[in-house]
Amino acid sequence: MNRKTKHIFVTGGVVSSLGKGLTSASLGMLIESRGLKVAMQKFDPYINVDPGTMSPFQHGEVYVTDDGAEADLDLGHYERFTNTKLTRHSNYTTGQIYLSVIEKERAGVFLGATVQVVPHITDEIKAAINSVITPDTDVVITEIGGTVGDIEGRHFLEAIRQFGLEKGRENVVYIHLTYLPYLRTTDEVKTKPTQHSVDWLRMIGVTPDALICRTEKPVPQSMKDKISLLTSVPKGAVFDAPDVESIYELPLLLHERGFDDFIVSRLGLDARTPDLTRWKEMVERQRKPDVEIDIAIVGKYMTLEDSYKSIFEAIDHAGTSLGVKVNANKIHSEELEKRSPEELLRNQSAILVPGGFGERGIEGKIVAAGYARRNSVPYFGICLGMQVATIEFARNVLGLAGANSSEIDPKTPHRVISLLDAQAKITDYGGTQRCGAYRCRLAEGSIVHKLYGVLEISERHRHRFEFNSAYKEIFEKAGMKIVGTNPEENLVEIINLEDHPYFVGVQFHPEFQSKPLRPHPLFVGFINAALSKNIKQHQR
Ligand code: GLN
């Protein structure tokens, strides 16, 4: 095969949190819309081997791929913006790269050589870049986490420098994302940090082909010309990216500025003009909703928006598709242990309890599930949210006093949620977790069958505990139906309360597969039910 895969590297400077992930994702979307096949990947500078063990309080959500990799949340943006298939090769950390090199050293692979950052670590990184290429990949977009100048990220920058040299500069584009701060006192936008950031990159041998300058407001051409002069990046390759109201506007904004045209011509790609009609319509719908509703998200990691990133996005996708602006109000589950649900949840048209680990705040979530059940408030329980709904039903409907998950209370007399190992023979989950995509068969005629429109689905998991099958029968008899089951192991995947407008608990994480143009059916069903309940409207 003589076709050559092209490469785009995205680095960032000046400050972190500029939206490198979103920029990469937007670029992926634009390139895809031009009929090309894109692969996406992120390098993270930290030493953790994967983010699976990092606190959601600190690092935000752990994103899960189909093949069960626990990955950085930027991968969620990649999947939401593009159709690229992400795998465990889509996210590499410094820890993972070093671990692999050190393991090879221990196994004697290097035949007595002194093992060094160059070439051993950089070779490992270059192999990681190549690992995402499939026979039909036209363009690989690799985002380098962190900021230029960080001590931790240097080996990645060195590797991408070498990569450009070896692959040929005509096949590689370096994009650098910077920040243009606005100084209120003098009423001006400053370019100096951008110059320094580019100087840094140059010092290590990477010459950026394009700059994307994040700003509060659009900047005039004269400012771009100045940046061009000072950084040697050609005028036509200095782009500004002012703040946008919705992240989904970013690809449209970059397209208007000619960013994808620049990439396509710089890499000599044979690409059609993009058709962004559907995307534009979606952004328009999002801008002008017909109604507004309030729903509650009852969770533990409520201080950081990113902890439930994919959940908020999935809610937004469903809302947009229905012409609804959904205000997802964060309610700390521990609050529900101190104050009444009536007081805290009265004004909410629906309740969602997301996934989580550990005991903190669990009783509050159980209270939320009970409130939703009794008051016919639409309820969507995801992973832990499904488990608390199970516990609540066991205690308060089935009369199983002290029922619990063995994660929370190992001595409970009724372990309605129990350890996976005790029930199933699945052996391919990472560590002791069931992680990644598993099949699920839906009950014919059930609400979930109607919403999905098919009888078999595949959804991603990340958990250790499961619905205890020994209790299936009494749950079903009392009206809590098992409407989704894993065909291999007969594990309970979805529960649904009869005679309730929408009470669905899922053992998996549907939020990971929702996209703005393909909202997840269970989220659509949930928001639709919330809409019928719309408390705001009923109060008017
Ligand atoms: N802690 C629960 C378990 O391990 C739920 C996990 C989750 O919500 N992702 O099963």
Side-chain angles (χ1 to χ4, degrees):
M1 207 186 57
N2 58 7
R3 62 186 296 174
K4 259 199 180 144
T5 303
K6 309 280 181 172
H7 291 262
I8 298 173
F9 293 103
V10 182
T11 57
V14 185
V15 288
S16 59
S17 307
L18 283 179
K20 233 180 319 128
L22 284 170
T23 306
S24 306
S26 301
L27 183 55
M29 177 274 198
L30 288 172
I31 294 179
E32 226 177 43
S33 70
R34 303 189 68 135
L36 297 163
K37 179 87 177 18
V38 178
M40 300 202 64
Q41 175 181 53
K42 181 171 187 202
F43 289 147
D44 276 308
Y46 49 76
I47 295 171
N48 305 60
V49 173
D50 64 50
T53 53
M54 289 164 94
S55 165
F57 283 118
Q58 252 187 47
H59 192 72
E61 156 187 292
V62 174
Y63 192 76
V64 180
T65 57
D66 263 354
D67 65 348
E70 299 180 284
D72 185 84
L73 56 80
D74 271 339
L75 268 70
H77 293 312
Y78 302 170
E79 285 208 335
R80 285 186 280 273
F81 279 69
T82 71
N83 297 306
T84 161
K85 195 110 201 81
L86 298 183
T87 66
R88 52 184 64 255
H89 298 296
S90 312
N91 193 197
Y92 282 92
T93 68
T94 292
Q96 212 172 323
I97 298 284
Y98 269 79
L99 182 66
S100 164
V101 171
I102 291 168
E103 277 170 357
K104 285 182 189 163
E105 186 273 331
R106 292 288 83 186
V109 172
F110 301 119
L111 305 172
T114 307
V115 181
Q116 296 179 294
V117 174
V118 181
H120 300 97
I121 294 296
T122 48
D123 279 354
E124 191 74 20
I125 296 170
K126 288 186 283 179
I129 298 168
N130 286 321
S131 72
V132 294
I133 300 176
T134 54
D136 59 348
T137 309
D138 296 303
V139 180
V140 177
I141 301 175
T142 304
E143 174 193 349
I144 320 293
T147 14
V148 166
D150 290 349
I151 193 166
E152 305 178 310
R154 181 69 192 264
H155 45 286
F156 287 123
L157 296 173
E158 169 58 19
I160 66 168
R161 179 192 70 76
Q162 295 174 15
F163 197 91
L165 180 76
E166 290 164 1
K167 189 92 184 176
R169 284 295 273 113
E170 70 282 12
N171 299 312
V172 173
V173 176
Y174 298 109
I175 294 167
H176 191 52
L177 195 71
T178 75
Y179 182 55
L180 301 177
Y182 167 69
L183 287 194
R184 210 166 299 273
T185 39
T186 47
D187 185 29
E188 49 177 355
V189 171
K190 306 302 279 183
T191 60
K192 189 71 79 190
T194 294
Q195 290 174 48
H196 283 174
S197 187
V198 174
D199 285 349
W200 236 109
L201 258 183
R202 280 242 173 68
M203 212 157 62
I204 44 185
V206 174
T207 305
D209 297 291
L211 296 179
I212 299 182
C213 306
R214 291 278 295 109
T215 62
E216 265 176 61
K217 295 192 185 94
V219 297
Q221 188 57 45
S222 57
M223 171 77 65
K224 293 184 206 165
D225 293 350
K226 180 181 167 192
I227 295 168
S228 163
L229 184 71
L230 292 165
T231 60
S232 291
V233 174
K235 277 183 189 172
V238 178
F239 301 92
D240 64 330
D243 292 346
V244 277
E245 225 160 86
S246 149
I247 55 171
Y248 299 113
E249 288 172 40
L250 187 57
L252 301 177
L253 181 136
L254 291 173
H255 174 68
E256 271 166 31
R257 283 163 165 69
F259 187 53
D260 48 313
D261 277 342
F262 164 79
I263 296 288
V264 163
S265 88
R266 166 65 179 73
L267 287 173
L269 289 162
D270 185 16
R272 63 166 191 242
T273 50
D275 179 7
L276 302 173
T277 323
R278 284 190 65 217
W279 195 275
K280 279 185 189 150
E281 281 166 7
M282 177 269 295
V283 169
E284 253 336 276
R285 258 199 320 277
Q286 193 188 30
R287 262 193 214 133
K288 296 194 192 102
D290 306 322
V291 267
E292 209 174 303
I293 59 167
D294 280 297
I295 68 166
I297 314 294
V298 180
K300 173 163 85 164
Y301 316 107
M302 282 314 189
T303 41
L304 185 69
E305 176 92 15
D306 277 354
S307 304
Y308 300 114
K309 186 81 200 155
S310 296
I311 300 251
F312 287 114
E313 290 303 320
I315 290 171
D316 190 58
H317 303 158
T320 300
S321 74
L322 296 165
V324 188
K325 178 174 190 296
V326 185
N327 303 315
N329 301 303
K330 294 181 240 167
I331 294 183
H332 202 297
S333 50
E334 277 174 324
E335 282 297 303
L336 281 157
E337 291 167 14
K338 298 177 209 138
R339 289 156 67 191
S340 80
E342 283 74 17
E343 183 191 344
L344 282 166
L345 299 169
R346 189 180 51 222
N347 293 324
Q348 309 298 328
S349 301
I351 297 167
L352 187 151
V353 178
F357 290 82
E359 168 185 23
R360 228 182 93 196
I362 195 100
E363 289 300 325
K365 293 178 192 171
I366 295 173
V367 167
Y371 173 86
R373 179 180 58 77
R374 290 190 310 274
N375 297 291
S376 298
V377 176
Y379 179 85
F380 195 9
I382 294 178
C383 210
L384 185 64
M386 174 260 204
Q387 299 178 353
V388 295
T390 304
I391 297 168
E392 194 280 322
F393 195 81
R395 286 184 191 171
N396 302 325
V397 178
L398 303 178
L400 305 174
N404 216 326
S405 157
S406 52
E407 175 185 17
I408 313 300
D409 176 10
K411 295 203 185 77
T412 169
H414 306 286
R415 40 177 71 205
V416 288
I417 303 292
S418 70
L419 210 55
L420 173 68
D421 311 67
Q423 301 185 45
K425 300 177 292 298
I426 292 180
T427 48
D428 60 342
Y429 45 89
T432 54
Q433 270 200 130
R434 189 176 173 209
C435 223
Y438 286 87
R439 293 200 296 152
C440 169
R441 199 159 288 151
L442 306 177
E444 201 152 355
S446 63
I447 179 169
V448 289
H449 176 209
K450 282 180 198 134
L451 287 168
Y452 277 102
V454 289
L455 273 173
E456 194 177 299
I457 54 160
S458 164
E459 292 281 6
R460 296 180 200 168
H461 293 245
R462 180 173 179 252
H463 59 103
R464 287 192 179 81
F465 296 82
E466 300 274 351
F467 186 104
N468 185 344
S469 298
Y471 289 89
K472 257 184 189 170
E473 217 179 294
I474 52 168
F475 268 78
E476 294 220 270
K477 269 201 187 122
M480 186 67 91
K481 299 290 182 197
I482 313 297
V483 292
T485 315
N486 171 263
E488 281 81 23
E489 302 290 343
N490 215 16
L491 293 167
V492 173
E493 299 273 12
I494 311 178
I495 57 171
N496 173 231
L497 184 63
E498 275 180 335
D499 304 324
H500 188 288
Y502 193 92
F503 196 101
V504 175
V506 293
Q507 189 53 80
F508 46 79
H509 289 275
E511 69 273 24
F512 294 143
Q513 295 204 80
S514 178
K515 291 172 193 271
L517 295 185
R518 218 174 60 215
H520 194 285
L522 294 186
F523 279 89
V524 174
F526 174 60
I527 299 301
N528 229 338
L531 208 52
S532 317
K533 180 90 189 170
N534 195 349
I535 287 175
K536 245 193 182 132
Q537 217 152 47
H538 294 162
Q539 280 172 346
R540 260 186 211 136

